[in-house]
Each structure stands twice: as structure tokens, then as C-alpha cells.
Amino acid sequence: MPVISVPHAYDEEDLYVDLRAPLGRPLYLKCEGFNFAGSIKLKAAREMVESAEQAGALGPGSVLVESSSGNLGVALAMIAASKGYGFLCVTDTRCNLATRLMMEALGSRVHVVAEPSPDGGLLGARLAFVRAVCAADPRHVWLSQYTNPANWRAHYRTTAPAIARAFPELDVLFVGAGTTGTLMGCARFFRQWHRPVRVVAVDSAGSVSFGGLPGPRMIPGLGMSVPPPLLDAAWVDDVVRVEEAETVRTCRGLARRGFLFGGSTGTVVSGAATWLAGHGVSDEVTPVAISPDLGERYLDTVYQANWVEALYGPDALAPTLPAAAPVRAPYHRAP
């Protein structure tokens, strides 16, 4: 029976969902949403805060500040409340209302950027605000999830070894690409493992992480409007891009099976199923995908019919899973 005294001490590492029945092909989904922060971002948040403490950058009166579309903000808000730090989350209008309310309930401040910068979009505007805040007040400490190596180290030390223990015959790993901290930590670990594992990045259409032109993205979590500094594409074997309408259909299809997952999970599952179908993968292959979070924070977006129809049209409301959909653009090899 776990007994904890701080909220970040608990994180369920060993829960997987077998998606063979709904998808019609093998795929194991590693569920990372069962902790008090509600997402995989707890790992990176804890590692970055503890690294900053060890470096002497944090002390009494410190105020953490970070740019986040949601999940990392909640994780940092929780840790800051537990440790007695202040926290300012700089986000934008795509951040779910429930996520903003959670951070405020934990005692944090939330600043919402509404106007994109000319050259960096909403993310560029967020980062500019963070830099201005830190320059104006030395109490503010920017953890910089986009450049901080503690981000990927957290997954090199925890996420990847947990998957290796659970699936010693792992063949393919699907990882969503946002800051690419999870992707880089897992890819580095499995490149050094005792057997070959193909690491496939799943990105949102409209993201520029792996090249291409930027496009509108309304579901927070995955994708970047600027090249992610942590990314080294040499560690990645393949990339698959997923349209947001497909993300929505996959989320709603999983919900009809009783699994309410977040938008990032819908993207990863859709991309994984499309890649597996395009490669004619047999039942002897062992594939695992990482689910970053659960779906409660998306009830007013991905699971809200008016929001979905206004952005993606009525076809996106159909709760279908990728196994039943035509295969389009199976994958894009990383540069």
C-alpha cells in the first residue's frame, strides 16, 4: 500500500492497455496519466526542479516560471505548491480552461498570451514574455523545458527503462513529439539497449519539428511552431504526422470503448495504427505507444461537439478508430 507525504512521490508506471481488439492489430498503450499531475509531464517537472535545486538556482522566495500549453504547467504548479515556491505559467489561448483552473486552484498564476509574434507564433510570444518577466525580477527562475537536458533525462531514467522491463521483446516504440523530451530520452535509451528497437515519432500536422510548413494547431500538447532545441533527428527512425481531425476521431472512438484519453494520446494512437497498417506488421511484432494523459481536461474541446464541428466539420464527430479508416501517407522518414 503506497503511503506518500508529497504529491509527486506517486506515479503509476506499469499500467498498459492492450488495443488489439479495437484496432484489429497489436498495440500496447503505456498509460502515464495516473498521478496527481495527471500526465507524463510530472517526470520532466520533477527532474527539472530537482536539478535546479541541486544547482542552487532555487531557494526561499523563488518563483518558477515556464511556458506551457497545459500539462507541464499543472505538474509544476503541483510541485511548486508542495515545495513552497511560487509559479507563473505562461500559456496561450489554446490551453484548456480546465487546465488553467487547475493551476490557479494549486495557487499558481497563469498569464494567457493572445497575440502571436510575427516570427515565432504563439510560442514565440510566450517565450518573449517569459524572458521579460525573468529580466524584470530575479526571483523568477525559468526552467526552460525546451532546452533543459533534465527534460529528456527524466525519460531516459524512468519511462524507457519501465517499458524495457515490461516488454523485453519490444520491437517498435511510438512517442509523441512536443518539446521532444520524452522522445529523446526514450530514443537514447533504446539505442543503447541489448536489442534493436525502432523509435517512431508521432507529430501533429502543422508542426515544424521535422520540417515542413507551419499550420494551425488547436489541440495542445504535441507539435511545435519552431524547431525544438532538444531534438536530434538522428536518434529517430521514422516520423508520422497526424491531422487533428484524425486525433479527434480516435479520441472519440476510444471513448466509445470506455477509455477517455487526452488529445496527445489520440494523436499517438492514430499515428501508431497508421504506421503499423502501412508497414504490414505481423502479430509477432511487439509495438508499444506512450499515452501522455487522460481525457478529463479535453471535455470542452475534443469531446465537445460544437467545438469539434466548428473547427473540423461534422465528419470529425464520428467516433472511429484508425483500423477502420483508409491509410493515408503512412509515414515520413526523419531527415
Side-chain angles (χ1 to χ4, degrees):
M1 178 181 69
V3 177
I4 63 172
S5 57
V6 292
H8 47 278
Y10 175 78
D11 193 6
E12 171 58 59
E13 277 276 36
D14 297 317
L15 178 63
Y16 294 81
V17 174
D18 184 349
L19 293 178
R20 184 186 307 264
L23 295 182
R25 57 178 52 88
L27 181 65
Y28 298 97
L29 188 63
K30 187 180 194 305
C31 299
E32 291 279 355
F34 292 97
N35 56 57
F36 282 94
S39 81
I40 196 172
K41 289 293 188 177
L42 174 61
K43 296 175 178 179
R46 181 174 182 175
E47 187 86 10
M48 290 191 296
V49 169
E50 291 179 352
S51 294
E53 289 174 332
Q54 291 165 9
L58 294 174
S62 291
V63 179
L64 303 175
V65 59
E66 186 57 90
S67 162
S68 170
S69 62
N71 283 337
L72 182 74
V74 172
L76 287 173
M78 185 191 77
I79 291 174
S82 174
K83 289 177 172 286
Y85 301 126
F87 175 51
L88 168 64
C89 181
V90 181
T91 189
D92 60 56
T93 51
R94 295 170 299 181
C95 181
N96 297 325
L97 175 61
T99 299
R100 300 202 300 267
L101 294 175
M102 288 180 70
M103 289 187 279
E104 291 171 350
L106 290 163
S108 298
R109 292 183 293 137
V110 180
H111 177 82
V112 180
V113 171
E115 294 296 327
S117 68
D119 54 351
L122 288 168
L123 176 58
R126 280 158 43 182
L127 296 180
F129 186 87
V130 169
R131 293 187 185 100
V133 166
C134 292
D137 188 343
R139 294 177 304 162
H140 288 81
V141 178
W142 183 18
L143 297 173
S144 187
Q145 64 164 324
Y146 307 102
T147 61
N148 193 330
N151 186 344
W152 67 259
R153 281 202 307 267
H155 303 286
Y156 182 91
R157 293 195 313 102
T158 62
T159 309
I163 294 170
R165 289 192 301 271
F167 293 92
E169 300 302 317
L170 177 68
D171 293 300
V172 189
L173 178 66
F174 298 94
V175 187
T179 65
T180 69
T182 308
L183 176 64
M184 289 292 94
C186 290
R188 283 182 166 93
F189 178 90
F190 284 110
R191 185 67 64 87
Q192 301 164 9
W193 204 33
H194 66 87
R195 64 187 307 273
V197 173
R198 182 179 287 268
V199 175
V200 179
V202 183
D203 200 10
S204 297
S207 166
V208 304
S209 296
F210 295 91
L213 296 175
R217 291 176 293 110
M218 298 305 298
I219 300 174
L222 300 185
M224 292 277 283
S225 57
V226 299
L230 290 178
L231 175 63
D232 182 348
W235 294 95
V236 181
D237 295 299
D238 290 319
V239 180
V240 58
R241 294 179 174 88
V242 176
E243 298 286 345
E244 286 194 335
E246 294 295 334
T247 293
V248 171
R249 280 190 281 267
T250 300
C251 283
R252 296 170 77 89
L254 289 169
R256 294 302 187 273
R257 296 284 184 140
F259 294 107
L260 194 74
F261 286 113
S264 297
T265 299
T267 301
V268 172
V269 171
S270 178
T274 300
W275 190 95
L276 292 168
H279 285 71
V281 172
S282 69
D283 285 351
E284 286 71 37
V285 170
T286 301
V288 172
I290 297 176
S291 164
D293 62 359
L294 302 179
E296 291 91 338
R297 297 173 195 175
Y298 300 83
L299 292 177
D300 59 349
T301 55
V302 170
Y303 296 103
Q304 213 284 328
N306 291 338
W307 187 90
V308 171
E309 188 168 2
L311 288 173
Y312 310 110
D315 288 348
L317 293 173
T320 57
L321 292 171
V327 176
R328 298 192 297 273
Y331 73 98
H332 305 266
R333 183 167 296 278

